[in-house]
């Protein structure tokens, strides 16, 4: 297991991204809005939530 957090996606049976979590702490990202239809839009939305999560909880120590 890596000590660096990564974003792990969960996909439905059709291969569409539906959820994501932080690999380091296991926190689940908020569910994407239902109006996002394109898989790329869902990935971008979840990635932005993850960037916020990582900055708040996993920022490098200085």
């Amino acid at each position: 297991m890596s000590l660096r957090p990564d974003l792990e996606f969960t996909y439905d049976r059709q291969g569409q991204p539906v959820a994501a979590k932080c690999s380091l702490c296991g926190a689940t990202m908020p569910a994407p809005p239902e109006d996002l239809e394109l898989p790329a839009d869902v990935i971008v939305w979840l990635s932005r939530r993850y960037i916020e999560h990582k900055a708040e909880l996993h920022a490098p120590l200085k």
Side-chain angles (χ1 to χ4, degrees):
M1 182 168 110
S2 172
L3 294 179
R4 291 182 36 184
D6 288 315
L7 183 59
E8 296 178 348
F9 288 96
T10 301
Y11 298 88
D12 65 13
R13 290 184 179 173
Q14 289 77 37
Q16 304 300 315
V18 293
K21 70 176 185 174
C22 175
S23 67
L24 187 62
C25 70
T28 303
M29 299 305 108
E34 290 185 21
D35 65 337
L36 295 180
E37 295 179 16
L38 295 175
D41 291 339
V42 173
I43 289 172
V44 167
W45 194 91
L46 289 167
S47 296
R48 287 181 177 157
R49 304 298 81 73
Y50 172 69
I51 290 168
E52 294 167 1
H53 165 83
K54 188 174 160 184
E56 289 177 20
L57 297 176
H58 304 300
L61 299 175
K62 293 182 181 181

